[in-house]
Amino acid sequence: MFKRVENELEMAMFNGVWTTVWLEKGYDLEFSERILERYVVVTKEGYYVGTTEIKPFSSGSSINEIAAFDRHPAVMQAEGAVAEIDKMAVLQSYRGHFISELLSALVDFGEKNKLKYYVALLEPVLQRALRISFKIPMEKVSQKVFYKGDYVVPTILNVEEVYNHKDRYSWITSPQGAVYTGAGTI
């Protein structure tokens, strides 16, 4: 299940998960000053195992220093309806099982806030999984680049396409764990 970070305990768990993953992978730690929302993935047993953070995006966002997201025609047209994904992480012993919850959190936030796109610097293996296994409509902005400890693929994800066609994405869940179907939620 995914849920919004709503208190100090959840914030501590959020920071514990993503910093553990970042340090394990050799990434530089970077705490965000401005955020729109933070989510955690919690197992049925109550373990906090995943995180994702949604940040505001603009032409002045630092992510544009890595790739020219702000000059991409789709992003330029969608001004005000674009956000940045950061700190998408799953603890090593839980990998492969909770990506759908993180993606569902992004879809839920995107729909509630009428976003069209997310911009992100994705690890190449994750980018491939999102494209092939989860069928996320996306576009690479450039080839992979080395950034803060690893290679990343600058990518634009079309969240509007996903939330407008939930019936095509069987992996989407709600914050409470209900599954979206073509007829609504169950």
Side-chain angles (χ1 to χ4, degrees):
M1 159 181 90
F2 71 89
K3 67 178 301 313
R4 291 177 52 235
V5 171
E6 299 180 281
N7 57 49
E8 288 183 35
L9 172 64
E10 291 172 349
M11 188 64 202
M13 299 306 284
F14 174 89
N15 284 330
V17 170
W18 79 263
T19 58
T20 297
V21 173
W22 260 229
L23 292 171
E24 164 205 325
K25 293 188 167 278
Y27 300 165
D28 293 338
L29 298 182
E30 180 180 280
F31 290 84
S32 304
E33 292 181 23
R34 294 184 46 220
I35 63 109
L36 297 172
E37 198 67 81
R38 290 182 175 115
Y39 290 94
V40 288
V41 173
V42 185
T43 67
K44 291 177 186 171
E45 298 79 22
Y47 298 115
Y48 288 75
V49 300
T51 62
T52 195
E53 181 174 83
I54 302 168
K55 298 172 21 177
F57 174 81
S58 70
S59 60
S61 296
S62 62
I63 195 171
N64 293 311
E65 296 169 16
I66 314 317
F69 289 106
D70 60 337
R71 289 183 260 153
H72 189 280
V75 171
M76 290 171 67
Q77 276 188 306
E79 185 179 344
V82 180
E84 178 184 343
I85 301 169
D86 197 8
K87 296 178 182 57
M88 184 178 273
V90 176
L91 293 173
Q92 186 176 24
S93 57
Y94 294 92
R95 284 193 197 129
H97 302 288
F98 292 98
I99 297 297
S100 60
E101 284 83 353
L102 293 175
L103 294 174
S104 294
L106 295 170
V107 171
D108 186 65
F109 182 87
E111 182 174 25
K112 287 177 179 169
N113 292 279
K114 304 292 184 243
L115 296 180
K116 293 178 184 274
Y117 302 103
Y118 284 114
V119 297
L121 302 175
L122 300 175
E123 183 183 53
V125 172
L126 176 60
Q127 194 267 356
R128 188 173 194 271
L130 298 184
R131 183 174 45 83
I132 293 172
S133 299
F134 292 92
K135 309 278 190 247
I136 303 290
M138 62 177 63
E139 182 180 344
K140 289 189 331 184
V141 174
S142 71
Q143 294 302 314
K144 67 182 179 180
V145 296
F146 194 79
Y147 178 70
K148 295 195 178 205
D150 199 2
Y151 284 96
V152 294
V153 180
T155 307
I156 298 171
L157 295 88
N158 187 334
V159 68
E160 182 181 45
E161 177 69 20
V162 177
Y163 67 69
N164 281 336
H165 301 285
K166 289 181 189 159
D167 57 319
R168 298 179 189 167
Y169 304 96
S170 61
W171 49 261
I172 296 177
T173 61
S174 74
Q176 294 76 30
V179 176
Y180 287 104
T181 66
T185 58
I186 54 172

